[in-house]
Each structure stands twice: as structure tokens, then as C-alpha cells.
Amino acid sequence: MTTSKLRVLLTGASTGIGKISAIHLARQGFHVLATVRKESDAAALRAENVPGLEPVICDVDKLEDIERVGQLIDAQKEGLYALINNAGFNYNAPFEYTVESRARAMMETNFFGLYRLSQRMIPALRRGAESSGRTSKLINVSSIGGSIGLPWEPFYHASKFAVNGLSESMRLELYNQNIRVVIVQPGGIRTDFMPKTDESLKRVLAEMPEEGRARYGKGLESMRGAMPQAEKFLSPPEAVAKAFTRILNKQNPGFRTWVGLDARLLYWMHRLLPFGMMHALLRRGFGA
């Protein structure tokens, strides 16, 4: 398939999965509009000197940024071949000690930013399908944490469960308009996600009152202690980039794509094992 004129908008391209994927897709011949929030991150992408990679300043939490990007794409008669909603972050805290403002900030990016940008780009995706003669793709990056809830990050899971439910409804509504909505569910990926999670866990441990540490400290420390071992089994971010490529090259991709053996294993364990048994394993594994 010729990809050189197919435009892909990918969010969260300053680091990790987003940056690696933006570079990878551009090297595959797509024209990638890679969103970042800071000019320094845009300059870093330009310094990669990859043809077809175009950094764009856009904070998905800001309506004015979304509208500016929408107008940029509206000016292109070929529309948009794909939107990849990758921007997002984690927040760790036991449910009892969750800080509402932090939970809301995460939901704003992980869920509402995805919703607003997707809604704004639907007309461009319709035009993209018409001009390419293929189905357009709307890819929402969820997580295996969108199918299974783990302790110590309940609102992260809430945000990803919400993405999954929204995406399934979107897929049904947009299917006959030649827009295929897909979720990508990575497991552990070798990015700065793990170090940031460790910092988040240390922060909540420091901020909780003594009573909270007595109840939840052991479990939070257990999660921190397991992270170095877990890092041995992480998938490289290139695995996600390659999954994006496979989806973009299919006319009718399936709704769900996992990345990583751990993602597949957890998903099917959760589906097939008795509920009580699965939860007993998770409580033991995560110190809950």
C-alpha cells in the first residue's frame, strides 16, 4: 500500500511510545503529525531529521489547541487517514487516599482529551476514507489495565476502562462511515512509565498519614519492590509502533490489539479463571 500521502495524527509524541511510534510510522512512509506540548520537544523531533515527521504543538487538555490542529487538518483536502490517541499518564494512590484534583487531571487527559480530539477529527477521518479509498483508523491507546483492575492505581484503571467502553460504542457508530475504531492494550513497556510509577508511589507514601501507611504501606512498598523484577519482562516501545503499523495497513482491523505476552496472559487469565481465584492471585501479587 502507498502510504506517502496518508496523514496520521498521533498524540503524546514527546517521549516513550509516542515518540518511538511517530518516528517509526514516518519511516514507514506515513505523514505523521506528532503532537507535543512544548517547543523543546518539537525541536527534538525535528532533530531526528525523518522525512514525513511533522511536530505539532497541542495539549489535548486545551480546547484552543485542539481547534488549531483541527483547522490545520481541515485545510488539507485529503483529510486524515488515522488518529492515534496516545497521550496519557498514570496516578498511583490507594482509593481511600486518592486526591480528587489529581484523579480529575488524569481523567481529563486520558479520557476527556481523547474524546474531544476524536470528536473534532471525525469529519477529517471521513474525508480521509473517501480520498484514500480505504477505511480510516481511529486508534485509542488503552492498556491491559483497561480490562483488569489492579490495586494502588484505581483511577488509572477507571480512565482506561472508560476508554474501552467509549471505543466500543464509537466503533459501532462509525463502522458504516468507513472509520474503524481500535483499542491497543499494551502490557508493561520499556519507557519512563515505570520510573514515573515509582516516583508516584514514593510520593503517596510520603503524603499519607501514619494511619494510611499502616494500612496500605506494605502493599505500596510491595509494588515498588516488584518493579525491578518486572522490568526484565517489559516489551520494547517499538512493539507498540509495529502494532500501529499493522493496524494502519489493514482494511478491517479487529477491535482489540494486545502488545506483550503479559497483556495477553493477564487478559485471558481474567477471562477464564474463576473470579475469586484471580483476585486471590492479584492480592497476593500486589500486596493487597
Side-chain angles (χ1 to χ4, degrees):
M1 180 183 69
T2 301
T3 62
S4 58
K5 294 184 179 180
L6 298 180
R7 300 169 71 85
V8 176
L9 176 63
L10 185 150
T11 66
S14 59
T15 61
I17 289 172
K19 183 175 183 178
I20 293 295
S21 297
I23 293 168
H24 175 82
L25 291 174
R27 286 175 173 162
Q28 296 299 307
F30 293 97
H31 184 126
V32 181
L33 301 168
T35 78
V36 295
R37 291 184 298 172
K38 297 183 295 184
E39 177 55 37
S40 58
D41 293 327
L45 280 179
R46 285 192 288 269
E48 296 288 339
N49 198 29
V50 179
L53 179 58
E54 180 181 349
V56 177
I57 301 295
C58 178
D59 184 338
V60 298
D61 293 349
K62 296 179 179 178
L63 284 170
E64 60 270 26
D65 282 15
I66 290 175
E67 181 57 30
R68 186 177 65 252
V69 174
Q71 291 177 9
L72 173 68
I73 291 171
D74 287 346
Q76 307 298 320
K77 64 180 181 179
E78 66 268 24
L80 190 64
Y81 179 67
L83 167 62
I84 303 176
N85 285 304
N86 169 71
F89 63 95
N90 192 8
Y91 167 50
N92 296 92
F95 173 77
E96 185 175 358
Y97 289 96
T98 292
V99 178
E100 183 176 340
S101 60
R102 294 177 189 168
R104 284 183 177 274
M106 186 186 62
M107 292 293 291
E108 189 68 24
T109 299
N110 291 10
F111 180 74
F112 287 103
L114 176 152
Y115 140 67
R116 285 190 290 263
L117 184 62
S118 298
Q119 191 177 65
R120 179 62 178 83
M121 295 302 156
I122 285 172
L125 288 166
R126 275 196 293 262
R127 291 202 317 277
E130 292 169 1
S131 65
S132 70
R134 296 177 55 82
T135 58
S136 291
K137 314 300 186 298
L138 199 163
I139 302 172
N140 291 330
V141 179
S142 176
S143 163
I144 188 55
S147 293
I148 179 171
L150 302 177
W152 321 132
E153 49 188 20
F155 277 87
Y156 175 75
H157 293 285
S159 73
K160 295 303 186 179
F161 269 73
V163 166
N164 287 10
L166 178 71
S167 300
E168 190 164 357
S169 293
M170 291 168 64
R171 183 175 174 95
L172 295 172
E173 292 182 5
L174 299 174
Y175 197 90
N176 287 333
Q177 299 178 49
N178 287 323
I179 300 172
R180 298 293 182 262
V181 179
V182 176
I183 59 171
V184 173
Q185 293 190 273
I189 303 297
R190 196 171 293 113
T191 64
D192 60 358
F193 187 89
M194 286 290 192
K196 286 181 178 178
T197 296
D198 188 56
E199 288 300 315
S200 181
L201 290 166
K202 286 195 291 187
R203 178 182 183 183
V204 71
L205 278 163
E207 292 178 346
M208 277 194 307
E210 187 60 38
E211 181 183 11
R213 284 193 292 272
R215 287 200 173 95
Y216 302 114
K218 184 178 179 180
L220 292 166
E221 289 289 3
S222 175
M223 186 174 184
R224 288 192 65 210
M227 289 172 62
Q229 186 69 21
E231 287 182 354
K232 299 177 183 177
F233 303 99
L234 300 180
S235 300
E238 289 81 3
V240 184
K242 291 175 181 178
F244 291 155
T245 304
R246 290 193 297 272
I247 293 166
L248 295 178
N249 285 331
K250 290 181 180 178
Q251 176 72 350
N252 290 302
F255 173 61
R256 189 187 312 270
T257 295
W258 299 283
V259 179
L261 180 60
D262 57 339
R264 291 177 175 83
L265 182 62
L266 278 171
Y267 180 84
W268 287 109
M269 285 175 66
H270 194 251
R271 287 286 301 271
L272 299 176
L273 288 180
F275 199 74
M277 181 185 296
M278 185 65 185
H279 274 206
L281 290 171
L282 292 175
R283 288 196 302 272
R284 181 177 179 181
F286 288 87

